[in-house]
């Protein structure tokens, strides 16, 4: 895989579209096990992201990721803003001065995962977006070649798996056992992120 400057911008535009289309759905998921603002938070954040990207000239993927990070950190309240912001900041640092091939991307997405865990004091198996990012990182590190459909399958299986987990981090943790059987909103929005990436890679392939 090779993620060009244009690809990185397309990625964010497709992500924004999915988030706007699924704003109510994400809200509904967060109403069930959180406070019902995840759709609103993400929709506001990615709307600001695409506005920022549309009026700025970029020279590198790293610069795009940096503005995504700054915008999400600045505009999104709740847990998800700082977490997604940290992820993109780490990806910006890891891709600085580099062509973003699979190896660079695998490192970038792994750095992002470590940043999320550090920031959220979280780890795998707590029913958070970490449970989607971790298998996706593994996918980029292990696969010889990134097949877009395989990426989508990996992320979607991880989301389904999140249903079975009892939440021990974030607001859903207050529900304990009652969180079992529900999808984690942040895992679903992370699924959209990687599904968007797969669609960009599919176009480029
Ligand atoms: P808030 O929980 O502050 O209302 P959002 O509703 O926007 O923020 O985001 C909730 C999502 O954030 C959860 O579904 C979960 O995936 C993720 N999340 C919450 N807390 C953490 C944490 N400590 N570490 C990792 N992810 C977390
Ligand atoms: Mg919430």
């Amino acid at each position: 895989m090779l993620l060009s400057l244009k690809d990185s911008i397309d990625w964010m535009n497709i992500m924004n579209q999915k988030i706007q289309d699924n704003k109510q759905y994400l809200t509904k998921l967060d109403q069930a096990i959180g406070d019902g603002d995840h759709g609103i938070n993400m929709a506001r954040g990615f709307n600001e992201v695409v506005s920022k990207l549309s009026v700025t000239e970029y020279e590198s993927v790293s610069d795009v990721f940096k503005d995504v990070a700054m915008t999400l950190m600045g505009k999104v309240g709740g847990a998800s803003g700082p977490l997604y912001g940290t992820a993109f900041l780490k990806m910006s640092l890891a891709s600085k001065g580099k062509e973003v091939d699979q190896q660079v991307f695998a490192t970038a997405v792994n750095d992002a995962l470590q940043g999320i865990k550090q920031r959220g004091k979280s780890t795998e198996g707590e029913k958070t977006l970490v449970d989607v990012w971790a298998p996706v990182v593994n996918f980029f590190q292990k696969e010889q070649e990134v097949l877009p459909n395989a990426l989508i399958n990996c992320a979607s299986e991880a989301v389904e798996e999140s249903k079975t987990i009892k939440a021990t981090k974030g607001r859903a943790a207050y529900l304990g056992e009652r969180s079992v059987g529900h999808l984690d909103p942040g895992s679903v929005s992370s699924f959209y992120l990687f599904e968007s990436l797969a669609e960009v890679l599919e176009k480029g392939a």
Side-chain angles (χ1 to χ4, degrees):
M1 73 172 271
L2 200 60
L3 192 78
S4 69
L5 174 59
K6 181 178 179 299
D7 289 340
S8 69
I9 295 168
D10 288 350
W11 181 16
M12 292 303 107
N13 283 322
I14 295 172
M15 172 63 171
N16 179 50
Q17 194 57 54
K18 286 189 196 292
I19 291 292
Q20 302 306 330
D21 290 348
N22 292 286
K23 182 176 165 182
Q24 304 301 335
Y25 176 57
L26 291 172
T27 291
K28 203 187 81 183
L29 293 177
D30 199 31
Q31 274 166 353
I33 58 169
D35 58 355
D37 63 352
H38 192 58
I40 296 158
N41 287 341
M42 295 298 286
R44 186 196 305 120
F46 278 91
N47 191 41
E48 293 281 347
V49 164
V50 298
S51 300
K52 174 74 186 167
L53 298 188
S54 71
V55 297
T56 315
E57 286 287 331
Y58 291 98
E59 294 198 340
S60 72
V61 172
S62 175
D63 289 343
V64 170
F65 288 167
K66 190 171 168 202
D67 266 359
V68 173
M70 293 309 166
T71 306
L72 293 176
M73 283 183 187
K75 304 283 177 184
V76 184
S80 54
L83 292 171
Y84 275 101
T86 300
F88 275 96
L89 195 59
K90 295 289 183 185
M91 292 202 285
S92 171
L93 292 172
S95 53
K96 202 168 173 63
K98 292 182 178 144
E99 192 175 59
V100 183
D101 59 14
Q102 185 176 338
Q103 205 191 340
V104 169
F105 192 79
T107 302
V109 82
N110 185 43
D111 289 358
L113 170 64
Q114 303 316 320
I116 290 170
K117 286 173 149 184
Q118 206 171 24
R119 181 95 203 203
K121 297 185 179 63
S122 44
T123 190
E124 287 89 340
E126 297 176 326
K127 202 183 185 92
T128 71
L129 41 79
V130 167
D131 294 313
V132 169
W133 282 75
V136 166
V137 165
N138 197 42
F139 173 91
F140 278 103
Q141 288 174 336
K142 296 279 155 66
E143 293 295 311
Q144 294 274 325
E145 187 193 351
V146 174
L147 298 174
N149 269 330
L151 171 58
I152 292 175
N153 286 341
C154 169
S156 109
E157 277 169 24
V159 172
E160 275 308 307
E161 181 73 24
S162 84
K163 251 188 183 172
T164 65
I165 303 173
K166 179 178 115 181
T168 51
K169 274 281 148 58
R171 292 181 196 278
Y174 296 118
L175 290 180
E177 287 294 342
R178 280 184 294 140
S179 66
V180 175
H182 293 277
L183 287 167
D184 169 53
S187 294
V188 175
S189 61
S190 293
F191 168 75
Y192 295 142
L193 184 69
F194 295 117
E195 187 187 40
S196 304
L197 176 61
E199 287 173 20
V200 169
L201 296 175
E202 178 79 60
K203 271 196 300 174

